[in-house]
Amino acid sequence: MARCVGWAMSDIGFKLKKSPTSLIVQSIDRALKMSGLQAKDLDGLVACPSLAEPRFMQAHHVANAANLLSGDRGANPFVVRTVDTGGASPITMLLQAKRMVEVEGCKAVAIVAGDAVSSLPSADFLRRAHES
């Protein structure tokens, strides 16, 4: 059975001058602390792209930035998935993580999303939102 054992939010505010990736990593660190887990306990990560910092394979980028792919994982590889279903991304990520636990053998999956759209000029935000 899949269950939520921790959650967290990053700093929030206008003009933080922080990248979405750094805010997501901050949330991962806070959620791990709240749950009592360590980064080495995670064996999966699901992420969705941000508008302010679009990346190819966002989840892989976040996993690298959070040092989740380093170290010897033995027979249990770290599973990384990027989900981009627009406004349905949050629920899609939850369903994907549930499947990773119940079908693919993951024991602890982080579900992450973040953005810093207030750092974008309005025209850039509207263009990126239209393109996604």
Side-chain angles (χ1 to χ4, degrees), residues 31-51:
L32 287 170
K33 184 177 180 180
M34 182 236 198
S35 70
L37 296 174
Q38 297 178 3
K40 67 180 177 76
D41 297 323
L42 293 176
D43 53 5
L45 180 129
V46 183
C48 66
S50 69
L51 287 176

Side-chain angles (χ1 to χ4, degrees), residues 2 46 81 83 85 88-104 109 111:
V46 183
R81 301 269 162 69
V83 170
T85 55
S89 289
I91 190 65
T92 304
M93 289 190 301
L94 285 167
L95 292 170
Q96 180 62 53
K98 180 180 184 288
R99 183 183 192 292
M100 290 164 70
V101 169
E102 293 179 349
V103 177
E104 297 179 46
V109 178
I111 303 167

Side-chain angles (χ1 to χ4, degrees), residues 10-17 23 116 118-119:
S10 68
D11 295 339
I12 297 175
F14 292 105
K15 311 297 182 196
L16 288 176
K17 300 196 187 307
L23 294 170
S118 66
S119 67

Side-chain angles (χ1 to χ4, degrees), residues 1-65:
M1 170 180 20
R3 60 190 172 105
C4 180
V5 297
W7 65 272
M9 292 176 46
S10 68
D11 295 339
I12 297 175
F14 292 105
K15 311 297 182 196
L16 288 176
K17 300 196 187 307
K18 293 182 180 180
S19 71
T21 299
S22 68
L23 294 170
I24 291 169
V25 170
Q26 183 183 68
S27 292
I28 292 170
D29 292 342
R30 289 177 179 178
L32 287 170
K33 184 177 180 180
M34 182 236 198
S35 70
L37 296 174
Q38 297 178 3
K40 67 180 177 76
D41 297 323
L42 293 176
D43 53 5
L45 180 129
V46 183
C48 66
S50 69
L51 287 176
E53 186 184 58
R55 299 273 184 186
F56 176 67
M57 296 171 57
Q58 178 76 24
H60 289 75
H61 174 74
V62 169
N64 275 315

